[in-house]
Amino acid sequence: MKDTIIICRCEDITYDDVVKAIEEGYDDIESLKRRLRIGMGPCQGRTCIPLVMRILAQKTGKNREEIEPPTHRPPLTPAPFGLFVGDEDEG
Amino acid sequence: MKDKAEVVIIGGGVNGCGLAYVLAKNGMDDVVVVERNYLGSGATGRCGGGIRQQWSTEENIKLAMESVRVFEKLSDELEYDIEYEQGGYLILAITEDEVEQFRKNVALQNSLGLNSKMLSPDEAKEIVPYLDENEFIAATFCNTDGHANPFRVVEGYARMAKKLGVEIYTHTEVKGFKVDHGRIVDVVTDKGVIRAKYVVNAAGAYSARIAKMAGVELPNKPYRHEILATEPYEHFLDPMVISFHYGIYFSQTKHGEIVGGIGDPEEKPSYNIRSSMRFVTRMARVITKLMPVFKNINIVRQWAGLYDVTPDARPILGPADTVENFLQINGFSGHGFMISPAVTRITADYILYGREDEMLRKLSMSRFKEGIAEREASVVG
């Protein structure tokens, strides 16, 4: 039933997709992110990244603490361009 | 790890992996790629993915035109979808001076066989209906320009190169060279020593540091360039839209997100790749001015990468002046992705057949000693 466990809701990535990518050699979080687009959707990785880090630890035999999290990319939540336009005099 | 190879390539980006693939495709499989981090971790994986032929110097136009012919069949050749789309590049002229320069560019481009053309604001709006026609006075357009997914291009090159016998070592860092009588003999890495006949410096913004280890001084300087992506939207933007006046570029990927950036004239050379509020503010002001519809579009992610900038904004190719088997394929100044097929072909021809393409002479590092011939004017981002 693991092909129906959704790990990344933004990009519709399942548990099996993650395991398959790890087996293909994408065995660190930055490579997995680029391969599967996990953590690149509107949730900013809040749902998927902790799950993927746990799967990575299980599959690579590393401790959970040894798995490096990906670089954080601002903004914290999606924000429209209009919000950043501000006054013309600034910056 | 191998302890010797015909060719050791330093840098697992589009040019390093691309060169490895071209060499292997032509029968040379004794090739090693050494990458300090993961594949595409440098400028390639951080770039906007644009593929443009509308340049101001003959060399860049020719390199880009040859590259487009390769990109057009690359998904089939690599048996891997690089998400290539030819939606064109629409270049906006904001000032009269730009109109003047663009006329010259288009004339040069047309003389070399490129089908670029000048457009009025109304004609430009037929291609991108959401543009504010009061914000620009003319445009140029070339419908065979486009974009591809940089991750997938690197991935496709690396997969096929490995299939053909190339060895790729990621998380492996070059620490130095053993140089003897004007030749690199050994490449010293943190995982072992590799004896090499040719060494290729495809290390992007770190190329000058790598060169220095062999006693070669490159004039390249690293500059941070920031970029962002929006949430994915239904397809509404065909071409890459750019303006040299503002230094802005943006396009919509096959996945649906808008990816774009804006250069900052205040940026100083550094290896800083942190994101800034200043960037997102500047980007928001210009993109909403050119296309007010962007006010309501959500930014989801911003990041940065490094341009490897030369004094004339053109790449450095060919042997280093004092170390003959140390080939340069760097200094791309922000457009290393789009011309990679041509420069890797030229470099492979030199290694495989000793062929000295006219470009190798024009773009060799010795040009900086002889005085810079011609500066590329069409740099963006």
Side-chain angles (χ1 to χ4, degrees), chain B residues 2-292:
Chain B
K2 275 189 174 183
D3 61 3
K4 66 177 199 294
E6 286 284 314
V7 184
V8 173
I9 299 168
I10 302 163
V14 70
N15 284 300
C17 294
L19 177 61
Y21 163 70
V22 177
L23 287 170
K25 184 178 79 166
N26 289 289
M28 184 182 280
D29 60 0
D30 188 14
V31 176
V32 166
V33 177
V34 180
E35 163 57 46
R36 185 178 63 156
N37 208 330
Y38 53 89
L39 296 182
S41 55
T44 301
R46 297 164 185 280
C47 82
I51 296 165
R52 158 162 65 107
Q53 302 159 97
Q54 298 179 73
W55 291 94
S56 76
T57 58
E58 186 175 329
E59 287 79 18
N60 277 337
I61 298 167
K62 282 183 173 169
L63 292 172
M65 287 176 69
E66 176 182 342
S67 296
V68 163
R69 287 194 289 274
V70 176
F71 277 120
E72 282 170 345
K73 50 183 187 348
L74 200 54
S75 290
D76 286 342
E77 193 176 320
L78 299 177
E79 297 164 23
Y80 197 68
D81 181 12
I82 63 162
E83 296 177 1
Y84 180 53
E85 291 187 307
Q86 286 176 295
Y89 255 64
L90 184 70
I91 309 181
L92 307 178
I94 312 296
T95 66
E96 290 294 345
D97 285 352
E98 278 191 297
V99 178
E100 202 56 36
Q101 173 76 40
F102 286 11
R103 284 214 176 90
K104 281 184 210 154
N105 293 355
V106 169
L108 176 63
Q109 290 155 7
N110 291 169
S111 76
L112 295 169
L114 187 68
N115 67 339
S116 55
K117 57 186 177 187
M118 294 290 295
L119 299 181
S120 68
D122 281 345
E123 289 169 321
K125 276 190 70 127
E126 282 172 27
I127 299 166
V128 182
Y130 295 105
L131 283 169
D132 183 342
E133 68 275 20
N134 300 314
E135 293 293 339
F136 63 104
I137 53 179
T140 69
F141 185 67
C142 173
N143 65 0
T144 51
D145 288 346
H147 53 85
N149 181 332
F151 296 138
R152 297 194 66 93
V153 174
V154 171
E155 191 61 38
Y157 276 142
R159 279 173 180 234
M160 195 50 95
K162 279 193 227 168
K163 211 187 232 182
L164 295 169
V166 170
E167 303 237 346
I168 299 181
Y169 305 127
T170 58
H171 304 286
T172 303
E173 189 170 351
V174 171
K175 293 293 188 186
F177 300 108
K178 189 180 159 206
V179 182
D180 187 32
H181 289 87
R183 292 179 67 84
I184 294 179
V185 183
D186 290 329
V187 180
V188 182
T189 79
D190 58 354
K191 303 274 171 67
V193 176
I194 312 169
R195 182 141 291 191
K197 206 177 262 180
Y198 286 101
V199 177
V200 180
N201 183 2
Y206 294 88
S207 295
R209 283 190 182 177
I210 293 289
K212 206 165 194 158
M213 294 176 188
V216 173
E217 291 288 334
L218 291 179
N220 312 17
K221 294 255 187 312
Y223 283 87
R224 173 179 67 169
H225 281 258
E226 296 186 70
I227 179 166
L228 55 74
T230 71
E231 287 180 352
Y233 290 86
E234 243 177 75
H235 185 84
F236 70 95
L237 183 63
D238 289 335
M240 174 84 80
V241 178
I242 70 177
S243 153
F244 302 124
H245 177 79
Y246 294 116
I248 195 172
Y249 64 91
F250 54 94
S251 69
Q252 188 170 23
T253 65
K254 214 167 187 171
H255 186 256
E257 55 198 355
I258 303 292
V259 173
I262 189 166
D264 191 337
E266 303 289 315
E267 193 71 33
K268 300 281 182 293
S270 82
Y271 287 97
N272 171 20
I273 52 166
R274 297 181 65 164
S275 295
S276 75
M277 191 67 172
R278 176 181 157 89
F279 159 73
V280 72
T281 310
R282 295 180 73 247
M283 183 76 190
R285 282 183 190 156
V286 177
I287 203 169
T288 55
K289 185 147 99 161
L290 297 174
M291 262 170 86

Side-chain angles (χ1 to χ4, degrees), chain A residues 26 40 44 74 79 85 87, chain B residues 155 255 285 299-302:
Chain A
Y26 302 89
M40 292 164 87
Q44 291 288 42
V85 174
D87 289 336
Chain B
E155 191 61 38
H255 186 256
R285 282 183 190 156
I299 302 164
V300 77
R301 197 167 66 249
Q302 66 175 108

